[in-house]
Amino acid sequence: MNVKQIIILGLLLIITLGHHSNIKGSNSNVQKHKINLTSPAFNDGEKTPKLYTCDGREISPPLNWSKAPENTKSFLVTYRNYQSWTFWILYNIPPDKTGLKEGIPGTKLLSDGSIQGINSEKTIRYFGACPYYPQDTFFKIYALDTKLEIEGSDNWEAISEAMKGHILGEGTLRTFYFRSR
């Protein structure tokens, strides 16, 4: 093997082994169950409807999921972008739920025991994307083998740390948004 072949093989190995979720310190060699995450308001890859953005009522969209793994003790849903901006965190969703209704209220503790974490605006609520340029965003669901106990701030950094080693499965619903000028 010549040097060029070794470099190419090394890069392929790095890409293959390095492909994992965006959870810091996640155990990337564990096969995760694929959860089907959808919304009746829009399809995967479509533009986010205005209603769910800063140009609309800025309410959370309805979400549905299926094919959750056995032994799920709680779900976690996030809405984020690829620049690490967190628009919404909802965790400790009961394991018997298969969706979220539109317009989750901006309160810390919901009636079903779910908890809203702190978003990048440092508030406890859903807030919609608001860029003047096309921005890719995604809703993500995680099935966990535990309920999370977060000490201190329950922002994305603390939650992603608490999730380490507890992810049974995940699913993603991709969308994008940009404001009209």
Side-chain angles (χ1 to χ4, degrees):
M1 232 186 249
N2 65 33
V3 174
K4 186 176 181 181
Q5 290 172 321
I6 292 171
I7 290 172
I8 291 171
L9 184 60
L11 288 173
L12 288 173
L13 185 61
I14 289 169
I15 290 169
T16 302
L17 295 177
H19 180 69
H20 57 81
S21 70
N22 62 357
I23 304 284
K24 295 176 189 167
S26 68
N27 189 359
S28 61
N29 60 358
V30 174
Q31 183 67 25
K32 294 189 180 57
H33 185 92
K34 171 93 168 86
I35 300 172
N36 186 28
L37 181 62
T38 61
S39 176
F42 56 92
N43 293 318
D44 188 59
E46 288 183 350
K47 186 175 181 180
T48 307
K50 188 175 181 178
L51 175 65
Y52 309 114
T53 72
C54 67
D55 292 324
R57 290 185 41 217
E58 202 167 27
I59 60 173
S60 61
L63 297 171
N64 299 311
W65 56 86
S66 60
K67 300 182 182 176
E70 290 185 30
N71 303 319
T72 297
K73 300 290 188 262
S74 71
F75 292 104
L76 180 144
V77 171
T78 63
Y79 178 42
R80 304 184 73 226
N81 70 14
Y82 292 99
Q83 292 77 35
S84 298
W85 192 260
T86 302
F87 298 98
W88 191 36
I89 303 171
L90 184 63
Y91 66 99
N92 287 349
I93 302 167
D96 60 341
K97 292 204 79 157
T98 57
L100 298 171
K101 64 180 182 161
E102 179 181 82
I104 299 294
T107 57
K108 182 79 174 165
L109 184 62
L110 302 180
S111 61
D112 65 1
S114 301
I115 303 170
Q116 291 194 82
I118 299 170
N119 59 35
S120 292
E121 280 190 333
K122 301 192 183 343
T123 60
I124 298 169
R125 68 177 186 93
Y126 170 94
F127 75 95
C130 203
Y132 282 104
Y133 56 90
Q135 181 182 77
D136 291 322
T137 57
F138 57 93
F139 290 89
K140 192 151 189 171
I141 186 164
Y142 299 92
L144 305 176
D145 66 4
T146 188
K147 286 180 79 171
L148 296 180
E149 294 183 29
I150 310 294
E151 294 183 25
S153 177
D154 56 355
N155 58 22
W156 176 243
E157 290 74 23
I159 288 173
S160 64
E161 183 68 27
M163 291 169 57
K164 284 182 185 177
H166 296 289
I167 302 171
L168 298 172
E170 55 190 57
T172 304
L173 176 61
R174 299 181 198 308
T175 185
F176 68 94
Y177 188 71
F178 59 93
R179 301 181 81 179
S180 302
R181 294 187 188 241

